[in-house]
C-alpha cells in the first residue's frame, strides 16, 4: 500500500472542516494510518515548502501554515497519492472543480484548505517530517477485501 501525507491547513481547522474533509478520505477507502493536531514549527514548514523558497508567496505561506493548528494525516491505499490529489482538486480554490475538496469548500488561492504529497519521493520526505515512525499504525481494516475486490 502506498502512503501519502495530507495536511488540513489552518483555514480548514479554523472553519470546522476537519471532520468533513477527513470523512471524504475514509469514505473513499483510504486508510488513516496516522493522525494528529499540531502547530507546525517554522523550521518544519520551511523544509516542507523548500521547493517554493524564493517565490513571491513563500514567506506568506510559511506564516500561514504556522499561525494556528493543522491536522496531519498519513493515508494508505493503492495509488493513495494520485487519488488524494484528485480528491483535493486544483491548487487554487477559484479554479478547483466542484466535487473536489478545494472546489467545494473554498475560493482562495493561498488559503486552499489542504496539502497532499505530489509524488512518492515527496510523500516519503513529508511523512518523515511530520510523523515519527512509532506514530504510524499498521492495521488491516476488516472491510479491505470489499474495498479492493479481493473476495
Ligand atoms: P499544491 O498545494 O496544489 O501542491 P503548490 O504549487 O505546490 O500547490 O503550492 C503550494 C501552496 O502554496 C499552495 O497549496 C498554496 O497554498 C500556495 N500557493 C501556490 N501558488 C500560490 C500563489 O500564486 N499565490 C499564493 N499562494 C500560492
Amino acid at each position: 500500500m502506498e502512503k501519502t501525507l495530507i495536511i488540513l491547513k489552518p483555514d480548514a481547522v479554523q472553519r470546522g472542516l476537519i471532520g468533513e474533509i477527513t470523512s471524504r478520505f475514509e469514505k473513499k477507502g483510504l486508510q488513516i494510518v496516522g493522525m494528529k493536531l499540531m502547530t507546525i514549527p517554522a523550521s518544519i514548514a520551511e523544509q516542507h515548502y523548500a521547493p517554493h523558497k524564493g517565490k513571491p508567496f513563500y514567506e506568506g505561506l510559511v506564516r500561514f501554515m504556522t499561525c494556528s493548528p493543522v491536522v496531519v494525516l498519513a493515508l494508505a491505499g493503492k495509488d493513495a497519492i494520485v487519488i488524494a490529489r484528485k480528491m483535493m482538486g486544483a491548487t487554487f480554490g477559484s479554479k478547483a472543480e466542484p466535487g473536489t475538496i478545494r472546489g467545494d469548500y473554498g475560493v482562495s488561492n493561498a488559503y486552499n484548505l489542504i496539502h497532499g504529497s505530489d509524488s512518492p519521493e515527496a510523500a516519503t520526505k513529508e511523512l518523515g517530517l511530520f510523523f515519527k515512525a512509532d506514530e504510524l499504525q499498521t492495521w488491516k481494516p476488516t472491510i479491505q477485501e470489499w474495498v479492493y475486490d479481493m473476495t
Side-chain angles (χ1 to χ4, degrees):
M1 292 289 172
E2 187 173 72
K3 289 196 187 78
T4 188
L5 187 275
I6 298 291
I7 305 175
L8 308 184
K9 294 183 176 183
D11 54 330
V13 176
Q14 292 284 356
R15 291 179 51 199
L17 293 171
I18 297 171
E20 289 216 26
I21 295 175
T22 305
S23 175
R24 287 190 177 213
F25 292 123
E26 286 187 288
K27 287 179 192 156
K28 176 69 177 169
L30 294 178
Q31 183 192 3
I32 299 173
V33 294
M35 185 174 191
K36 64 182 173 184
L37 183 74
M38 65 181 285
T39 300
I40 304 179
S43 63
I44 301 288
E46 284 163 8
Q47 289 179 66
H48 177 67
Y49 281 122
H52 293 299
K53 196 167 174 147
K55 294 183 184 167
F57 60 84
Y58 172 78
E59 308 281 338
L61 180 60
V62 169
R63 238 186 350 264
F64 163 55
M65 292 298 290
T66 56
C67 75
S68 126
V70 302
V71 169
V72 285
L73 292 167
L75 299 180
K78 286 187 183 160
D79 300 320
I81 295 170
V82 167
I83 290 171
R85 294 281 299 184
K86 275 195 190 151
M87 291 174 71
M88 287 162 50
T91 299
F92 294 156
S94 55
K95 302 251 169 66
E97 292 290 328
T100 64
I101 292 163
R102 286 166 169 167
D104 283 352
Y105 298 121
V107 292
S108 166
N109 293 345
Y111 289 12
N112 59 1
L113 301 163
I114 185 163
H115 166 83
S117 308
D118 64 4
S119 68
E121 297 72 30
T124 302
K125 176 193 149 197
E126 294 170 1
L127 286 162
L129 265 181
F130 288 95
F131 286 102
K132 300 189 188 99
D134 67 1
E135 290 177 325
L136 297 178
Q137 303 295 314
T138 303
W139 60 286
K140 185 169 181 232
T142 54
I143 201 169
Q144 195 169 73
E145 286 170 9
W146 293 94
V147 172
Y148 288 113
D149 60 57
M150 297 187 295
T151 48

